[in-house]
Amino acid sequence: MSLLVVGLSHRSAPVSVLERAALSADAQVKLLQDTVAADPATEAAVLATCNRIELYADVDKFHAGVAELSTLLAQHSGVGLEELTPFLYVHYEDRAVHHLFSVACGLDSMVVGEGQILGQIKDALARAQDLHTAGRLLNDLFQQALRVGKRAHSETGIDRAGQSLVTFGLEQLAAGSDVPGWAKGRTALVIGAGSMSSLAAATLARAGVGEIVVANRTFERAERLAQILADAEGATARAVRMNAVAAELTRADVVVSCTGATGLVLTADAVAEAVAGRTGEPAADMDAAPAGTGALPPTGVGTDENCPLDLASVQGTPGFSVHGEAAVAGMDAATLEQHAAWVGEGTSLLEQGHGHEAGGRFTPEADAGLIAALAEAVATAGRVPEYRRPEPVAGIPRPAPAVFLLDLAMPRDIDAAVHRLAGVRLVDIESLAEASADAPMASDVDQVRRIVSDEVAAFGAAQRAAHITPTVVALRTMAADVVAAEIARLDGRLPGLDDRLRGEIRQTVHRVVDKLLHAPTVRVKQLAAEPGGTGYADALRTLFDLDPETVAAVSRAVDNTDEKDRPA
């Protein structure tokens, strides 16, 4: 049997798909029961959080297992298999172990290093144990994942990564300036009242901002955070409702947003209006192409009948851009080409000011290359990065920012088109990732990755060694039975043998058998622990003609003993 995981997460699927695929508690129970009832699987566990749904199983056939688990996920999530399949990922054996250990350490989380996932893994294991769908493999796997996650948090600074992200984001906004000096006396608007928003607000308060305004969909949570900031940090803080964000945006110098919203919280138009209100000048598009080359397509939902997107389904989504990554994520090359033609009104995006070749136009080969690159990005990253270029264009200097925006949400709260606006500096998760290679958190992440790799190797060796144990026990049991039969036969042939001699003969025969079996059984356990060593159990069973049912009975006995010894 082999470990298989099939799932989807924020890294592979848009939030809209994750929302529709979310599993209720009852649906998770039914999914587990149906999985172990299916032919390829004998064990199952479900890890379901707000940003991931993963089905783990012990299967005896890879392809049949993938097909069955994918079908079951689609059936119980309510999302059709054909629609769900492009967003699914599959990990098998050691890669599946590596994936769960990485998840447990927070390496696969929206906020790297967050510890909440450990509680969710513990809940997933408890649910599978209660339903008796977790056997030896998944019990060992999930309990080891919990230990690996705790080790990562105790031996590294990975749990500081969330805090480092806020600090690093503010440093990027300050563009090399000292953060306290840059922040002193400014007005900050914090959108959201969750853990990351609270951390950002506290960091700004300690940096010396003049006032902090907290906006949240639940007004009471905004009030509570503002009160905490005032009491614990001595900050001037107040709470507002979300419908007041537009007005507060015209007053704010610094905006930090981190909500769980599925659409944009701040559109490019809203930010442009706020900048115009502060400066008295319209926020120009700094990425507008020079005269004669056309302009970049505007943001906002389009109405062209030839658009390859289903505009009706997104018309009511605030700030949705048919030209952004939310629109093109998951498109195949043909649809991407159609979309590019629509955006450019019949010409390629490259011809709309993204760059030039001889004669000011791109060749068909260059267009084909762009489409291929976009398609490859979709296949590998699950999305197409939205085009943005904050550097000056055609020698025109970018004016000093009037508004600084930090978007810590995933998916994003602030339209990436804001990067193009004059008088604005936007730092988001994507730009932080690009700039964070030398960030303080990078060393912690690398250290955790090494821990994960070591633990995966150790877990694999332990599982392979455990796999051969029932066969070794069955072999020794068979040898003991042979010795017992031969001693009984000797007693029948020499009934007058005195007890002392009979005892000496019995011990001698046992010693001979033990010495003959010792070296090969020790060595076979060592070999079985190495990669590819699982075949040694089959070799032993074949060479010694061991009864498969005897081996299976030993295996069941070992599992039962492990179950009793396992901590609650």
Side-chain angles (χ1 to χ4, degrees), residues 131-281:
L131 295 172
H132 305 289
T133 64
R136 177 172 184 167
L137 175 60
L138 292 186
N139 270 296
D140 289 350
L141 174 69
F142 275 70
Q143 290 196 17
Q144 187 62 25
L146 292 171
R147 287 190 284 268
V148 173
K150 291 174 183 176
R151 180 188 169 191
H153 284 280
S154 64
E155 295 183 13
T156 75
I158 191 67
D159 54 349
R160 297 193 301 268
Q163 181 174 358
S164 297
L165 193 64
V166 171
T167 304
F168 186 58
L170 293 176
E171 290 173 351
Q172 294 298 301
L173 283 183
S177 301
D178 177 62
V179 171
W182 166 81
K184 187 174 180 61
R186 295 184 186 272
T187 297
L189 170 62
V190 176
I191 305 175
S195 57
M196 287 293 285
S197 298
S198 301
L199 180 58
T203 304
L204 285 167
R206 293 168 195 153
V209 295
E211 181 186 28
I212 299 176
V213 181
V214 181
N216 194 60
R217 282 182 170 79
T218 305
F219 182 63
E220 290 73 19
R221 293 191 65 184
E223 284 186 312
R224 185 160 60 250
L225 177 55
Q227 189 61 51
I228 291 172
L229 292 171
D231 295 342
E233 306 295 343
T236 301
R238 58 187 175 89
V240 299
R241 301 184 186 277
M242 285 297 290
N243 58 12
V245 165
E248 295 296 336
L249 200 58
T250 62
R251 302 179 57 254
D253 303 299
V254 182
V255 180
V256 178
S257 187
C258 186
T259 73
T262 57
L264 296 177
V265 174
L266 295 180
T267 65
D269 288 342
V271 175
E273 290 175 8
V275 173
R278 292 174 62 88
T279 64
E281 298 289 337

